[in-house]
Amino acid sequence: MLPAQRLAVLSFHTSPLAQLGGRESGGMNVYVREVSAHLARSGLAVDVFTRRSDALQPDVLPMAPGVRLVHIDAGPPERLEKEELHPLAGTFARGVADFAAAEGVAYDLVHSHYWLAVEAGALLAREWDVPHVAMFHTLAEVKLLARSSEREPEARREAERRLVHEVDRIVAATEHEQRLLDQVYGVPRDRVEVIPLGVDRERFRPRAQLDARTALGIDPEARVLLAVGRIEPLKGLDILIESLAEMAGRDGLQLLIVGGDERAEREIARLREVAREAGVEALVRFVGPVPHERIGAYYNAADVVVVPSFYESFGLVAAEALASGVPVVASRVGGLTSTVADGRNGYLIPWRCPGPFAEKIDLLLANRPLREALGATAARSMERFEWPAVASGLLDLYASLLRDGVPGPAPQPVLAAP
Ligand code: UDP
């Protein structure tokens, strides 16, 4: 097998070092960070390219041993909306190609994340004549199927419908996503490699609840529900907030919501209004974003973690909570069905409405032995989700693409000169 030696990872619209829980930063950032570090441990030189969104960002930043983060100029060095980024994909690709030329390095393979980067990656892969692996993380049509009131720009829908057929291989987090790519986009299954995500089980493992609560200043007697993640309608927090009103025992009940940066303010205000109308305002606390290094304590402090999303391609939050030994009540959608096993480490709710969530949460809150039994199974059930295994799955995929070659047009200069 021909091992890859140098890998270009494209994370165009969001930096792997961005604060998590913001509008554009969550599971994908964790993935790029973890996977790059583990790939580099196998001897691969990894350069992660992201757009410069702040003039103070250095050109090159060491991110982990063997991993560099490279900031590329494309558009003004400030935060831009995703709609403004699509027209800049070519400029970004040109910047990456110029960086490679200036350094005198050649990449064996391009791995891009999210459709905006895949657009840039397609250009680079043709210019360099190397295989292109893509991970979409979310897809517009899939989001629209999951929640019809989602708003996605036509440019994204068009680009994804085209790009899924242009790349050499798509990495999907679950077989469910592989099936969707086939059914919704007509991508043959052998063009999709299923590699689940991992969990850092050193960071996320069972720890004494009392210690975690003491560290966070949470009442040891409280009954604590936790939701974590980017704050947007697709995450279904309305359902969870409304479910509080339907719970039998509300004494000492608290819902902590971790995540959301200043750009989530409008959505948070809307959710506060939902809570007010449901008469549960006093039970809900928006904690704000918490760095990934410190979020483990929140899981360990919780009695139940709830993931009421309309869709998750994998759902790292559920995986992290389970690894922490906490039962999860989650929507029965997407990747959540690959980690949450109904009745074994939590509950899967088939309906996107508050009553069934309230019923299962109540059941867990009222029954400590049940919670502890499910929590113990939860931690064990996550043992097979490991970042080193993800990296080794990717290395095998890269090797097979380099060995077999990829049929396609002859190499051609596709990037306009600066
Ligand atoms: N996260 C975090 N701090 C926050 C909010 C979220 O570290 O304030 C992390 C969380 O621990 C998880 C990721 O962001 O690792 C969210 O990933 P998930 O797959 O659940 O959702 P996505 O962002 O991909 O929709």
Side-chain angles (χ1 to χ4, degrees):
M1 270 198 258
L2 272 180
Q5 291 181 356
R6 192 173 286 278
L7 174 70
V9 175
L10 306 189
S11 176
F12 174 28
H13 80 291
T14 173
S15 165
L17 299 184
Q19 177 192 62
L20 298 184
R23 181 126 54 100
E24 323 290 7
S25 51
M28 177 185 138
N29 308 63
V30 174
Y31 187 94
V32 170
R33 218 154 62 193
E34 292 281 355
V35 158
S36 304
H38 283 95
L39 286 172
R41 280 186 205 167
S42 317
L44 199 60
V46 183
D47 285 338
V48 182
F49 294 93
T50 193
R51 193 185 74 85
R52 192 193 305 279
S53 59
D54 183 327
L56 296 178
Q57 285 160 341
D59 290 347
V60 180
L61 191 67
M63 209 166 77
V67 186
R68 302 189 296 178
L69 178 65
V70 185
H71 291 106
I72 297 291
D73 287 313
E78 60 197 41
R79 192 178 253 181
L80 294 179
E81 295 301 326
K82 282 190 207 154
E83 297 71 58
E84 301 174 276
L85 291 178
H86 190 218
L88 296 171
T91 314
F92 180 75
R94 172 82 264 154
V96 175
D98 288 348
F99 175 86
E103 291 251 311
V105 295
Y107 294 94
D108 301 305
L109 199 135
V110 177
H111 190 155
S112 7
H113 293 273
Y114 197 69
W115 71 281
L116 290 163
V118 182
E119 191 81 272
L123 296 170
L124 282 166
R126 271 163 70 197
E127 173 107 348
W128 291 338
D129 190 27
V130 297
H132 184 199
V133 174
M135 196 156 173
F136 284 89
H137 297 272
T138 64
L139 287 153
E141 303 299 340
V142 173
K143 282 174 82 175
L144 288 160
L145 281 174
R147 186 172 170 275
S148 54
S149 46
E150 283 294 299
R151 290 282 156 263
E152 287 298 336
E154 187 48 38
R156 174 179 184 181
R157 299 175 70 178
E158 179 281 317
E160 286 179 342
R161 282 196 295 264
R162 171 171 46 80
L163 290 165
V164 289
H165 298 286
E166 274 182 27
V167 301
D168 297 306
R169 204 68 102 243
I170 297 175
V171 175
T174 60
E175 275 155 22
H176 176 261
E177 198 182 342
Q178 183 186 39
R179 270 200 305 281
L180 280 175
L181 279 157
D182 176 6
Q183 288 161 4
V184 181
Y185 291 88
V187 181
R189 294 193 187 192
D190 61 1
R191 299 284 302 281
V192 180
E193 189 80 14
V194 177
I195 305 180
L197 275 65
V199 181
D200 178 345
R201 281 187 295 106
E202 183 48 40
R203 182 169 290 174
F204 301 108
R205 62 187 164 96
R207 289 187 175 89
Q209 189 184 71
L210 184 61
D211 293 349
R213 289 198 179 182
T214 308
L216 297 172
I218 296 172
D219 179 356
E221 300 302 322
R223 299 187 299 158
V224 177
L225 305 179
L226 174 69
V228 174
R230 294 179 298 110
I231 297 197
E232 60 170 34
L234 196 72
K235 295 287 181 185
L237 289 170
D238 314 46
I239 303 167
L240 173 55
I241 291 171
E242 286 171 354
S243 78
L244 297 177
E246 300 198 21
M247 283 179 205
R250 284 200 254 158
D251 280 351
L253 188 62
Q254 289 188 14
L255 166 61
L256 303 183
I257 300 179
V258 168
D261 59 6
E262 66 286 356
R263 292 202 297 167
E265 267 168 23
R266 269 181 55 193
E267 181 61 6
I268 290 176
R270 191 185 69 80
L271 291 169
R272 281 193 206 281
E273 187 53 28
V274 170
R276 206 187 52 77
E277 276 172 18
V280 295
E281 207 179 3
L283 309 184
V284 183
R285 181 151 77 86
F286 288 90
V287 175
V290 172
H292 206 230
E293 307 76 67
R294 289 204 278 113
I295 212 158
Y298 283 87
Y299 293 126
N300 291 127
D303 289 309
V304 180
V305 170
V306 191
V307 187
S309 307
F310 285 81
Y311 188 74
E312 292 287 344
S313 62
F314 182 74
L316 266 181
V317 163
E320 291 166 356
L322 294 169
S324 306
V326 182
V328 172
V329 177
S331 305
R332 192 160 79 195
V333 294
L336 295 170
T337 60
S338 67
T339 50
V340 182
D342 193 49
R344 297 194 53 234
N345 59 11
Y347 292 103
L348 286 168
I349 310 294
W351 304 281
R352 247 42 74 228
C353 50
F357 276 88
E359 189 191 317
K360 293 300 185 203
I361 294 169
D362 256 344
L363 178 68
L364 283 167
L365 288 180
N367 194 332
R368 177 190 282 269
L370 177 68
R371 258 189 346 258
E372 288 176 352
L374 265 53
T377 315
R380 283 199 304 277
S381 69
M382 285 298 105
E383 282 168 9
R384 64 201 168 96
F385 294 95
E386 283 205 307
W387 290 116
V390 181
S392 104
L394 288 173
L395 283 173
D396 288 348
L397 171 63
Y398 298 161
S400 76
L401 288 171
L402 290 171
R403 183 188 56 222
D404 301 340
V406 283
Q412 45 188 311
V414 291
L415 293 169

